[in-house]
Amino acid sequence: QVRLVESGGGLVQAGGSLRLSCRASGIIFSASAMAWYRQAPGEQRRLVAAIPSAGRARYAGSAEGRFTISRDNPKNTVYLQMNSLKPEDTGVYYCAAVPHLGLLENFDSWGQGTQVTVSS
């Protein structure tokens, strides 16, 4: 059974940084594509960044140039380094794990998420 545990969120001022972590179990992590989503208040989850098992990472336009997704396969962990944070980055951040990126729309094993709040 897939289990994802997100951590690292917090309250920061605009311009600050946070590093989110997601530890996965119940999957072959090294063979999985991983992704980060954000759910802002009153909105649905939206893709922020994704990284395949091997290859190029991809980012939403709002994250490109400021966020970096990375993975540590021996630790079964994916990270999201967030720099130059803006108030519009506020939301609950969730990770996802799928056999390949094309299956992200089918993912439904969401963890508890981690809250990120950016003040102005």
Side-chain angles (χ1 to χ4, degrees), residues 1-118:
Q1 184 176 12
V2 178
R3 187 186 180 203
L4 303 169
V5 180
E6 300 94 340
S7 62
L11 174 63
V12 298
Q13 293 183 334
S17 298
L18 285 172
R19 188 195 194 200
L20 308 183
S21 299
C22 172
R23 175 164 287 185
S25 60
I27 62 170
I28 303 175
F29 184 85
S30 62
S32 297
M34 304 295 297
W36 284 97
Y37 287 76
R38 175 177 62 242
Q39 185 169 25
E43 300 182 6
Q44 64 183 21
R45 289 184 184 91
R46 295 184 178 181
L47 182 67
V48 176
I51 186 168
S53 59
R56 183 184 302 174
R58 59 181 64 182
Y59 300 90
S62 61
E64 191 171 13
R66 299 185 298 122
F67 294 4
T68 302
I69 186 171
S70 62
R71 62 195 299 155
D72 187 338
N73 287 344
K75 294 183 178 179
N76 286 6
T77 300
V78 63
Y79 304 97
L80 186 67
Q81 178 67 45
M82 305 188 294
N83 298 326
S84 302
L85 283 162
K86 303 174 180 180
E88 50 263 46
D89 297 320
T90 293
V92 180
Y93 283 72
Y94 300 87
C95 66
V98 289
H100 60 87
L101 290 176
L103 294 176
L104 279 173
E105 66 182 63
N106 304 120
F107 182 78
D108 63 358
S109 298
W110 304 104
Q112 83 287 352
T114 185
Q115 176 72 47
V116 171
T117 303
V118 184

